[in-house]
């Protein structure tokens, strides 16, 4: 069985939150659904086997009908500033281009402990939905300008066994401001 068949076997698509109840869901995931419902955002949810790789996310994209971006959780050398970067799934990432635009010396991947502490997310499930949990506003959302014209968007609701899709405008104009965050556009050169 290939990757797409594995991901899509038993996958269920819902209009809004999953109809199978919250009992089998993590607190972080349920918080995302509650937040989206309160914000009045229209979204779809696809429950599927764990998706760790971009290949597996591509299978999710085909089923849910929305692109899945690469989401990277980054920090500066001192681990005092944290960034959530959204870039196209197929775009290579070079820290030097982002560091220069943000005015910081060097960026690297933040630890799983910081990811859990700040976003309530484990590696493999990084997404802007984690900003709902960042009530102290320690994480800055950075978005590659190549995504600016995207109509719909899919991401994990803090777990990688589910994906939610919504319009990118709802994400940027409703969801992100409702978390108390803003976003910054950057131009990252492909290599």
């Amino acid at each position: 069985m290939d990757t797409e068949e594995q991901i899509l076997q038993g996958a269920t698509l819902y209009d809004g939150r999953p109809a199978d109840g919250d009992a089998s869901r993590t607190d972080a995931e349920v918080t995302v659904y509650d937040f989206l419902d309160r914000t009045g955002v229209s979204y779809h949810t696809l429950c599927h086997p764990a998706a760790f790789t971009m290949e597996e996310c591509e299978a999710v994209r085909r089923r849910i009908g929305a692109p899945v971006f690469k989401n990277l959780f980054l920090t500066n050398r001192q681990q005092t500033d944290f960034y959530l970067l959204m870039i196209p799934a197929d775009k290579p990432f070079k820290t030097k281009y982002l560091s220069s635009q943000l005015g910081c010396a060097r960026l690297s991947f933040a630890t799983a402990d910081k990811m859990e502490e700040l976003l309530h997310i484990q590696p493999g499930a990084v997404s802007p939905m984690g900003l709902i949990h960042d009530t102290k506003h320690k994480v800055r959302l950075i978005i590659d300008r190549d995504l600016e014209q995207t109509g719909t968007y899919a991401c994990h609701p803090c777990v990688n066994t589910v994906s939610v899709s919504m319009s990118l405008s709802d994400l940027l104009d409703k969801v992100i401001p409702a978390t108390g965050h803003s976003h910054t556009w950057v131009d990252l050169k492909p290599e």
Side-chain angles (χ1 to χ4, degrees):
M1 186 179 307
D2 70 8
T3 300
E4 183 169 357
E5 290 172 351
Q6 289 173 348
I7 290 292
L8 299 181
Q9 184 178 29
T12 307
L13 185 63
Y14 299 96
D15 184 19
R17 74 190 309 138
D20 58 359
D22 294 342
S24 63
R25 309 276 167 207
T26 67
D27 289 342
E29 178 186 357
V30 171
T31 299
V32 170
Y33 303 136
D34 291 344
F35 188 88
L36 294 176
D37 292 344
R38 276 193 316 273
T39 309
V41 172
S42 174
Y43 65 99
H44 298 294
T45 305
L46 180 68
C47 298
H48 53 75
F52 291 100
T53 67
M54 290 313 297
E55 180 184 23
E56 291 165 339
C57 288
E58 177 60 20
V60 168
R61 181 206 63 79
R62 283 194 291 276
R63 177 67 171 93
I64 204 167
V68 177
F69 305 150
K70 203 178 328 184
N71 297 288
L72 306 174
F73 187 52
L74 307 167
T75 188
N76 63 349
R77 182 186 314 234
Q78 299 80 13
Q79 296 189 34
T80 55
D81 297 321
F82 297 90
Y83 306 90
L84 177 58
L85 173 65
M86 295 170 50
I87 62 174
D90 59 351
K91 189 171 191 175
F93 170 63
K94 301 286 184 182
T95 59
K96 66 180 178 179
Y97 297 122
L98 182 58
S99 296
S100 65
Q101 290 185 57
L102 298 178
C104 56
R106 180 178 157 230
L107 291 174
S108 60
F109 290 100
T111 65
D113 289 342
K114 280 295 185 185
M115 190 183 301
E116 173 64 32
E117 174 190 334
L118 298 173
L119 302 175
H120 297 200
I121 294 177
Q122 298 294 318
V126 178
S127 93
M129 295 300 111
L131 295 173
I132 293 166
H133 304 285
D134 180 30
T135 57
K136 294 182 181 176
H137 306 104
K138 300 254 184 193
V139 180
R140 184 172 166 195
L141 180 60
I142 310 297
I143 308 172
D144 183 10
R145 197 166 294 280
D146 284 352
L147 303 176
E148 194 170 22
Q149 300 305 314
T150 302
T152 56
Y153 163 70
C155 66
H156 295 308
C158 299
V159 294
N160 68 353
T161 55
V162 180
S163 297
V164 295
S165 68
M166 67 189 74
S167 73
L168 186 62
S169 63
D170 276 352
L171 175 72
L172 299 181
D173 299 336
K174 294 179 182 177
V175 175
I176 299 305
T179 68
H181 291 78
S182 60
H183 63 280
T184 302
W185 293 104
V186 293
D187 294 301
L188 299 177
K189 298 178 182 181
E191 287 215 345

